[in-house]
Amino acid sequence: MILPKLSAAILAMSLLGSAYAASSLEEEISLDQWVLMSGATNGAADAAGATEEDRKKHRITARNNLVRYAAEHGIALSQFDALFELGMLEGKKLVTARPVKDTAKLQTLMNGFHRDKSILYQDVEKALSHT
């Protein structure tokens, strides 16, 4: 189960399509929670029609950036895959639970997903250091 504080961040992320957008909305997010939000971005994009290739690239980019951040900041990150998978399920649920598919919101979500798919480490570090 995801903590209520994180659920709000994931909901905001699902509307923006970017895990890193939540840094301006929520303070004190743990690295594990960032992994969950990255997974939720991936799952939401899956429900919105992202290709398997794009979702794989997004996951690899998230893994590389978050593992690097953990290593550089002395933070343990041992459950990336399990947390990412849990986030994927939550993100997919958020999108599929909506009765009406608002095309503008889905486009915003996909724009954020595609941005995160190739986000530079420096941008991730800046977002994570902001909290």
Side-chain angles (χ1 to χ4, degrees):
M1 183 167 103
I2 294 179
L3 302 171
K5 175 180 167 181
L6 184 59
S7 294
I10 288 179
L11 181 59
M13 169 282 313
S14 74
L15 299 175
L16 300 172
S18 173
Y20 310 105
S23 68
S24 63
L25 304 172
E26 195 67 49
E27 293 185 12
E28 298 180 23
I29 299 173
S30 73
L31 191 58
D32 286 346
Q33 291 169 327
W34 284 108
V35 175
L36 282 166
M37 288 189 296
S38 293
T41 297
N42 194 290
D46 183 17
T51 67
E52 185 175 341
E53 182 179 327
D54 283 343
R55 288 182 285 115
K56 182 178 178 181
K57 184 175 183 340
H58 175 270
R59 184 180 188 136
I60 290 168
T61 299
R63 173 189 284 282
N64 290 343
N65 287 331
L66 294 172
V67 167
R68 178 179 172 186
Y69 182 87
E72 289 182 3
H73 291 84
I75 303 169
L77 181 61
S78 60
Q79 296 186 8
F80 180 91
D81 291 319
L83 293 170
F84 195 90
E85 293 290 329
L86 178 60
M88 285 175 58
L89 294 172
E90 293 297 324
K92 192 177 282 193
K93 278 190 226 176
L94 283 170
V95 173
T96 57
R98 297 172 191 263
V100 178
K101 301 292 182 189
D102 182 331
T103 55
K105 286 182 182 174
L106 288 177
Q107 186 60 48
T108 299
L109 183 149
M110 292 305 288
N111 289 343
F113 166 76
H114 286 295
R115 185 178 55 250
D116 282 6
K117 183 178 71 176
S118 57
I119 193 167
L120 298 174
Y121 174 73
Q122 293 78 6
D123 295 332
V124 171
E125 183 178 38
K126 181 179 177 183
L128 271 62
S129 297
H130 181 266
T131 59

